[in-house]
Amino acid sequence: MRVATLMTMLAAPLALAACNSGEEAAETDDMPMTESMPADDTAMMGQDAAMRTASAEGTVTAIDAEAGTITIDHGPVAAIEWPAMTMAFQADEAARGTVAVGDEVTFDFEIGDAGSRIVSISKK
């Protein structure tokens, strides 16, 4: 009987610790995880984690004046370790007016907490 009591006494703190860790996880679900971010990204946290610039080439697949975006099917972007993909970038009216769907372009963009924004764009 003493062994059972001892086992219960040892198991109780572990059970409570497991309960608490679940509560902590629930409280931090909306917090960004930095463990999976590349080292250069974690160093930038607190500096608007962002406004890094990069250049890419691609093909314009859509222009949405209402949303203020240009969608580009671009190649890999080595500077920020992005694979090739199709994505929408925020773009001002002037940038949207210089290209058309189907144009092959080169462009510079900024990425940060607020998303990605084309800084300059030109046809190839």
Side-chain angles (χ1 to χ4, degrees):
M1 189 68 158
R2 287 187 165 172
V3 172
T5 303
L6 180 60
M7 293 302 287
T8 302
M9 290 176 62
L10 291 174
L14 294 174
L16 290 174
C19 290
N20 287 340
S21 68
E23 289 174 17
E24 289 172 14
E27 292 172 7
T28 60
D29 282 344
D30 60 338
M31 294 177 67
M33 299 297 290
T34 57
E35 290 85 279
S36 62
M37 296 173 71
D40 58 326
D41 283 345
T42 57
M44 298 184 84
M45 296 301 286
Q47 295 180 4
D48 188 18
M51 295 329 227
R52 297 188 314 165
T53 58
S55 299
E57 297 182 353
T59 303
V60 176
T61 60
I63 299 171
D64 186 338
E66 191 173 310
T69 61
I70 299 174
T71 302
I72 301 176
D73 180 9
H74 65 78
V77 184
I80 54 175
E81 299 178 3
W82 276 5
M85 67 179 99
T86 300
M87 65 179 288
F89 294 86
Q90 290 296 313
D92 62 24
E93 187 175 347
R96 293 190 312 269
T98 62
V99 296
V101 172
D103 285 348
E104 291 187 21
V105 296
T106 59
F107 62 103
D108 297 322
F109 62 97
E110 294 178 333
I111 93 168
D113 291 340
S116 53
R117 181 179 68 86
I118 292 177
V119 176
S120 67
I121 188 167
S122 59
K123 296 178 189 180
K124 279 181 150 184

